[in-house]
Amino acid sequence: MPDSIRLEVTRYRPDTDSEPQRQEYDVPLRKEWTVLDGLNHVKNEVDTTLSFRWSCRMGICGSCGMNVDGEPKLTCATFLTDYAPGPVRVEPLANFPVVRDLVVDLFDFMERLPRVKPWIIRDDDVTEVDGEYLQTPEELDAYKQFSMCINCMLCYSACPVYGLDPTFIGPAAIALAERYDLDSRDHGARERLDVLIEHEGVWGCTFVGECTRVCPKHVDPAGAIQRYKLKAAKESVKAFLLPRGTR
Amino acid sequence: MTEVRTYRRPMSIWWWTKKRSYFVFVMRELSSIFVAWFVVFLLLLVRAVGRGGAAYDDFLDWAASPGIVVLNFIAMGFLLLHTVTWFNLTPQAMAVRVHGRPVPPAVVIASQYVGLVVVSAFVYWLVTR
Amino acid sequence: MTKRRVEPLVWLMFSGGGVMAAVFLPILAFLFALAIPLGWVARPDHVHLLAVVGHPVTLVVLLGMFVLMLVHSAHRFRYTLYDGLQVKRKTFTAVLCYGAAFIGSIAAVNVLARLA
C-alpha cells in the first residue's frame, strides 16, 4: 500500500474567486483513515484556510456530507483505502449553492422542512400532561426506518429533479412526512397530504431512486414519495366519485 | 446581516451520462417512445385486420421489411427494460399487505412475473389457436 | 378537504398504462412485431384474427389498454424532456405530449369502432 493519497479538493473563496477552483493535497493513506480524517489532516497540518463541516465523526450528526468521486457520501464513513491509489475528488454536495470551499447553503431545506409538519399532530386534546402515548412494538416498527433520517442532505445531492427544479420539496422532507403519517400516535396525515399534493410536492419526482441508494441510514425516500402519489390518487378518486359531505 | 455570496453550480445537460444509474434511468424513461410506437403499430395492425385479408397480408409483409424489423428489435429491447424496471420498482412504490402482514419485496416481484407468464400464455393461445 | 387536482388522476393513468405496457405489451409486440412477420410463428388465419379482435370484450380491453399506454408514454416523455433534455417550456411540452396522446386515443376509438 502506498503511504499517501492525493485529495483533489474543490475550493471556493467568495471574496477572491469568481468560481470554484481545484486544489491538490497529499495526505497519509492509513487503513483506518476516512476522507474526513484526510481533510482534518490538511486543516491541521497543511492549509488552515480549508473550510468544511463536521461534528460527530460517527455517522449521526449528518453534517460531513460531501461528494466523493462524484457520489454523495458521509465523509466520516468513507475510507481513503477504498479509493487507493487515488486521487480522490472531494467536492461540496451537488445541487446546493456553495458558501465556501466544501460548505453548502442548506437554507432551502430548512425553509421547507416545517412545511410538511414533521411532528405529531393530534385531533384530540390529549397532551403529554395526560400521560404517554402508548405504542406497541409493531406500531413502532411501522415507521422506525423512516425515523432514522439524520438530515445529511445526501439524498438532495443525488436527486437530479431537485437539481433541475429547486422548488421540489425533495426526498428527506417527504420521507419525514411519511415517518409521521405511519406513526400510530399521529393524526396529521390529511394535513401533510394537502401540502404534498401541491405541484411542488410529490409530482416532480420521476422515481430515479438515487435518494434511496445513497442514504447512509437506509431510509427509503423514493418509496415514500411513490406511496404519497398513490395516497393522493386514492383521495382524488374519492373526491371525484363521492358527493360532498360524505368524504 | 451580511449578504453571503454563494456560488450556484450549473447542471450540465449531459448530467445523465455521468453516472451509470442516471443513464439507466434516462433509458428507462425513453422506453416511453417505444411503448407509444407499439401502440401505433398495433393500431395499424387492427386497422389492417378490419380492412380484410389482403390488407392484413400487406401489413405483415410491411412489418417484415428490414427497416421495420430493426426498429422493432430496438423497441423490444426498450420494452423489456420497461417491464423489468417496472416490476422491480413496484414493491418500493406500494406497500403490499396480505392479512395485515407486509409481503416481502421478492414475493411481489415474483408474482408479477407469474402474472406476465399467465397473460402471455393466454394471449399466445388466443392468437395462434 | 382535498382540493380536486388533475395531477393525481394523470399519475393514476400513467401507472395503469405502465402496468399494461409491462404485462400485456411484451407478448403482443413479440408476436406481431417480430415472431409472425419473421415467420417464427405461423401467420394466424385472417378470419380467426378478425373474430378475436372484433369480439366486444377484446375491443373494450384494447381500447382501455391503448389509451392508458398512450397517457403513460406522454406523461413519461414529458418529464424526460424536462429532466433529461432540460426543455424548460413546461406548458408547451405538456400540451404537446398530452395532446399527442389525446389524438392517438381518438385514432384508437376510430379504428376499434369500425370493427364493432
Side-chain angles (χ1 to χ4, degrees):
Chain A
M1 193 166 84
D3 57 1
S4 82
I5 188 165
R6 176 157 296 180
L7 301 182
E8 294 177 355
V9 180
T10 303
R11 301 292 311 266
Y12 172 66
R13 286 142 296 198
D15 37 352
T16 54
D17 299 348
S18 58
E19 58 180 56
Q21 329 261 330
R22 175 180 298 179
Q23 192 161 346
E24 294 177 348
Y25 302 101
D26 288 317
V27 299
L29 178 60
R30 299 198 182 132
K31 190 167 155 280
E32 67 278 14
W33 267 29
T34 62
V35 173
L36 182 61
D37 291 319
L39 291 173
N40 271 323
H41 173 83
V42 172
K43 178 94 179 165
N44 296 337
E45 312 287 337
V46 186
D47 182 351
T48 54
T49 65
L50 182 66
S51 298
F52 52 97
R53 288 197 184 110
W54 63 282
S55 175
C56 77
R57 293 168 293 128
M58 49 192 283
I60 287 297
C61 74
S63 54
C64 70
M66 295 168 210
N67 271 29
V68 180
D69 267 4
E71 278 281 307
K73 295 273 188 193
L74 290 182
T75 49
C76 70
T78 305
F79 286 87
L80 285 169
T81 47
D82 292 338
Y83 296 85
V88 191
R89 259 186 308 130
V90 185
E91 298 161 300
L93 281 179
N95 299 339
F96 292 101
V98 184
V99 177
R100 184 186 184 88
D101 295 346
L102 298 167
V103 178
V104 292
D105 181 4
L106 302 177
F107 178 80
D108 243 17
F109 176 73
M110 297 305 175
E111 174 272 322
R112 69 191 51 170
L113 184 58
R115 271 162 53 195
V116 302
K117 308 183 187 198
W119 52 79
I120 288 180
I121 297 170
R122 302 285 294 186
D123 56 12
D124 52 27
D125 296 334
V126 179
T127 65
E128 59 279 11
V129 182
D130 302 302
E132 313 88 336
Y133 302 129
L134 294 180
Q135 198 163 52
T136 66
E138 290 75 33
E139 288 169 336
L140 173 66
D141 281 342
Y143 69 85
K144 195 174 173 192
Q145 200 51 48
F146 286 105
S147 73
M148 296 302 193
C149 175
I150 55 173
N151 298 342
C152 65
M153 301 293 104
L154 300 198
C155 53
Y156 281 75
S157 177
C159 174
V161 176
Y162 178 69
L164 290 161
D165 183 2
T167 62
F168 174 45
I169 282 187
I174 300 176
L176 268 168
E178 177 77 343
R179 174 247 174 277
Y180 284 93
D181 273 15
L182 291 172
D183 193 319
S184 60
R185 302 164 293 182
D186 178 82
H187 303 142
R190 172 49 67 86
E191 286 181 42
R192 291 186 198 100
L193 189 60
D194 281 346
V195 175
L196 294 176
I197 203 169
E198 293 295 329
H199 186 72
E200 63 278 13
V202 291
W203 304 113
C205 170
T206 44
F207 207 170
V208 184
E210 278 298 286
C211 49
T212 297
R213 218 174 56 76
V214 301
C215 180
K217 293 291 161 184
H218 309 292
V219 180
D220 181 7
I225 298 170
Q226 312 321 308
R227 278 171 240 169
Y228 260 111
K229 289 181 187 169
L230 195 59
K231 277 190 248 182
K234 277 183 192 161
E235 288 301 316
S236 300
V237 169
K238 257 197 252 171
F240 272 93
L241 295 182
L242 297 179
R244 281 168 196 284
T246 56
R247 54 179 192 259
Chain B
M1 202 179 101
T2 41
E3 191 65 24
V4 182
R5 204 162 64 88
T6 57
Y7 183 82
R8 276 186 187 277
R9 292 160 287 175
M11 199 153 156
S12 155
I13 196 161
W14 301 108
W15 62 269
W16 48 276
T17 59
K18 292 183 181 138
K19 210 151 104 176
R20 204 189 111 85
S21 51
Y22 288 158
F23 182 75
V24 172
F25 158 74
V26 169
M27 290 302 113
R28 180 191 94 192
E29 300 298 285
L30 284 180
S31 70
S32 58
I33 297 172
F34 299 98
V35 168
W37 157 247
F38 276 136
V39 172
V40 171
F41 182 86
L42 290 175
L43 274 174
L44 290 174
L45 168 72
V46 172
R47 191 180 67 157
V49 169
R51 285 186 175 174
Y56 168 65
D57 281 335
D58 284 349
F59 175 84
L60 288 182
D61 292 340
W62 170 75
S65 58
I68 300 296
V69 169
V70 169
L71 172 61
N72 280 337
F73 265 108
I74 296 168
M76 196 68 201
F78 275 92
L79 180 62
L80 292 179
L81 177 68
H82 165 75
T83 298
V84 171
T85 51
W86 193 270
F87 285 177
N88 282 344
L89 291 177
T90 302
Q92 214 183 337
M94 53 199 293
V96 184
R97 288 174 166 272
V98 173
H99 302 300
R101 289 179 174 279
V103 180
V107 176
V108 177
I109 293 172
S111 52
Q112 292 178 102
Y113 279 103
V114 172
L116 176 70
V117 169
V118 171
V119 165
S120 301
F122 174 73
V123 171
Y124 184 86
W125 170 80
L126 200 63
V127 169
T128 59
R129 174 165 68 111
Chain C
M1 195 196 80
T2 311
K3 273 181 279 176
R4 291 184 185 207
R5 302 196 65 93
V6 72
E7 284 105 331
L9 300 176
V10 174
W11 179 81
L12 211 55
M13 290 181 80
F14 159 79
S15 298
V19 173
M20 292 293 167
V23 176
F24 285 90
L25 205 48
I27 182 67
L28 287 171
F30 173 75
L31 279 176
F32 291 107
L34 296 176
I36 295 171
L38 294 175
W40 304 343
V41 170
R43 250 178 216 206
D45 179 45
H46 174 255
V47 178
H48 165 67
L49 211 54
L50 186 61
V52 171
V53 177
H55 193 279
V57 175
T58 318
L59 288 176
V60 170
V61 170
L62 283 181
L63 180 63
M65 211 167 82
F66 287 158
V67 171
L68 287 178
M69 290 195 300
L70 286 171
V71 173
H72 168 88
S73 297
H75 186 73
R76 213 172 212 188
F77 191 63
R78 175 192 161 207
Y79 279 98
T80 312
L81 286 177
Y82 185 72
D83 293 337
L85 297 175
Q86 298 192 22
V87 180
K88 295 295 183 193
R89 298 167 68 187
K90 273 187 168 172
T91 317
F92 175 73
T93 50
V95 169
L96 198 74
C97 292
Y98 297 125
F102 184 74
I103 291 168
S105 302
I106 299 288
V109 171
N110 210 344
V111 167
L112 292 168
R114 279 164 203 267
L115 283 170

